[in-house]
Amino acid sequence: MKNIFKIVFATIIGFLLVSCEKDEDRAVLGNPSQSTLSASANTFVLQKEDADKDAVKFSWMSPSFGTNVVINNTLQFAVKGTNFANPKEVVLEAGSTAASFNVQNFNGILLGAGAPIGSQSQVEVRLKSVTASSTVAAVYSPVITLTVTPYALISYIYAPGDYQGWNPSTANQLVSANSNGIYIGYINFPAAASEFKITPNRNWDVSYGSNDGATLSTTAGNIKSVGAGSYMVTVDMNKLSIAMTPYRFGVIGSATPNGWNDPDTKMTLNNTTGLWEVTMALTSGEIKFRLNGGWDVNYGGSGGNAVAGGDNIQIAAAGTYKVTLDVSNLKYTLTKQ
């Protein structure tokens, strides 16, 4: 009987000790030490011709959670005064204590954070640390403030596919106006299940596909269009994601067959020239260009100059016209056939 009591007593003591250890771990994880972050410089005037030169080195010390846990670190960048509401994030290599960026990469980070091009502004940076296996809230380092002047940097990726013969050298391009990793382009797909891929350059050295139409991967199959017709294709290389949205301009107005009533006379995107085109009968009257049959985006103007929300375009004489719209350069043509 005494032995039974001893065994029960030892079991209870052991349970209490384990519980205490677990409680202690939780207490330690809930009270991490402060992390630190520093930059090799605090003022930057970036120049495109220095793209390959070193720009900045960030060094940090991760917080200690008092136990051997995996810590994931991220640098967050945000325009001063935004309180990191929508930061640009850069995931850091596990176990690293420093990261360097050249001028081009750092410029892209600053633009992605919302820093204005060509003018001086302040960007705040902090280190975000989270544990891989704990529900403890993220730990943030003290904020450091950088004074920056980024430059304009347009970058491109490409979308070779069956719509143009799978030729990267002539494929439609997707544009990132500020090199923040988000690219937008426009493609006219001839079939509902047209296929294409995304390439960083005009070759097949590296290409991205998608098995689900949303996530990009270098090992996935061809990307399939969500329908026939013209689409705005948005690629986020930061998240390796892709989205396709119907996108078509049309012509409306008193000079068109339907007057000012819906539907517009649809235009077709020329994948080679990037122009929106239609050949149609017009009477004497007025026209405008509209996006997706609505008035949120519309163009008027005169003399071949397209103006967002501008005055109605005058059609002096009835006839059959080839009508083109160049949204990139804000031009239109009316050529009587």
Side-chain angles (χ1 to χ4, degrees), residues 17 36 38 82 108 131 160 173 179 186 196 200 259-260 266 276-277 304:
L17 287 174
T36 63
S38 62
T82 62
T131 62
Q173 63 188 22
S179 292
Y186 306 93
F196 65 103
W260 290 105
K266 294 180 178 179
W276 293 89
E277 303 173 341

Side-chain angles (χ1 to χ4, degrees), residues 188-229:
N188 181 29
F189 295 112
S194 293
E195 297 185 354
F196 65 103
K197 284 201 167 185
I198 297 297
T199 62
N201 301 295
R202 287 198 179 279
N203 56 52
W204 287 111
D205 291 351
V206 179
S207 66
Y208 294 85
S210 179
N211 293 329
D212 60 6
T215 305
L216 294 175
S217 170
T218 56
T219 60
N222 296 337
I223 306 164
K224 293 180 173 58
S225 66
V226 295

Side-chain angles (χ1 to χ4, degrees), residues 39 41 50 125 133 146 181 183 193 197 215 238 247 249 268 274 277 324:
D50 298 330
V125 192
S133 58
L146 309 178
Y183 297 81
K197 284 201 167 185
T215 305
N238 305 303
Y247 192 95
F249 276 93
T268 299
E277 303 173 341
T324 70

Side-chain angles (χ1 to χ4, degrees), residues 7-21:
I7 293 172
V8 172
F9 180 75
T11 301
I12 293 173
I13 293 300
F15 174 77
L16 291 174
L17 287 174
V18 171
S19 298
C20 288
E21 288 175 359

Side-chain angles (χ1 to χ4, degrees), residues 80-301:
K80 187 174 182 178
T82 62
N83 198 31
F84 291 90
N86 186 30
K88 170 67 176 179
E89 294 191 330
V90 178
V91 177
L92 302 170
E93 184 179 351
S96 62
T97 59
S100 298
F101 301 94
N102 65 19
V103 169
Q104 179 171 311
N105 291 336
F106 188 46
N107 190 78
I109 291 170
L110 297 175
L111 295 176
I117 296 170
S119 61
Q120 189 180 91
S121 64
Q122 290 187 311
V123 169
E124 295 180 324
V125 192
R126 67 184 182 183
L127 180 72
K128 176 184 176 182
S129 303
V130 297
T131 62
S133 58
S134 171
T135 58
V136 175
V139 176
Y140 297 95
S141 71
V143 172
I144 60 176
T145 301
L146 309 178
T147 300
V148 302
T149 305
Y151 59 89
L153 179 63
I154 298 176
S155 57
Y156 304 88
I157 58 176
Y158 308 93
D162 59 13
Y163 70 94
Q164 52 81 240
W166 292 104
N167 187 352
S169 65
T170 59
N172 286 27
Q173 63 188 22
L174 282 69
V175 182
S176 178
N178 57 13
S179 292
N180 63 355
I182 299 174
Y183 297 81
I184 296 176
Y186 306 93
I187 302 176
N188 181 29
F189 295 112
S194 293
E195 297 185 354
F196 65 103
K197 284 201 167 185
I198 297 297
T199 62
N201 301 295
R202 287 198 179 279
N203 56 52
W204 287 111
D205 291 351
V206 179
S207 66
Y208 294 85
S210 179
N211 293 329
D212 60 6
T215 305
L216 294 175
S217 170
T218 56
T219 60
N222 296 337
I223 306 164
K224 293 180 173 58
S225 66
V226 295
S230 302
Y231 283 80
M232 178 173 71
V233 180
T234 303
V235 170
D236 187 337
M237 294 302 291
N238 305 303
K239 300 178 180 178
L240 289 180
S241 64
I242 184 170
M244 288 169 271
T245 307
Y247 192 95
R248 183 192 290 271
F249 276 93
V251 185
I252 193 171
S254 61
T256 69
N258 292 327
W260 290 105
N261 300 313
D262 295 335
D264 301 356
T265 299
K266 294 180 178 179
M267 307 182 77
T268 299
L269 176 65
N270 185 317
N271 284 320
T272 301
T273 65
L275 300 179
W276 293 89
E277 303 173 341
V278 66
T279 298
M280 60 184 299
L282 295 172
T283 61
S284 176
E286 300 173 330
I287 64 168
K288 292 197 88 170
F289 300 101
R290 297 197 307 178
L291 175 63
N292 291 340
W295 289 106
D296 290 345
V297 177
N298 71 88
Y299 292 93

Side-chain angles (χ1 to χ4, degrees), residues 22-35 62-67 69 71 131 134-140:
K22 290 183 177 179
D23 288 341
E24 183 180 359
D25 286 346
R26 284 197 292 266
V28 170
L29 282 175
N31 296 280
S33 65
Q34 180 66 64
S35 57
S62 300
S64 173
F65 290 86
T67 186
V69 296
I71 299 174
T131 62
S134 171
T135 58
V136 175
V139 176
Y140 297 95

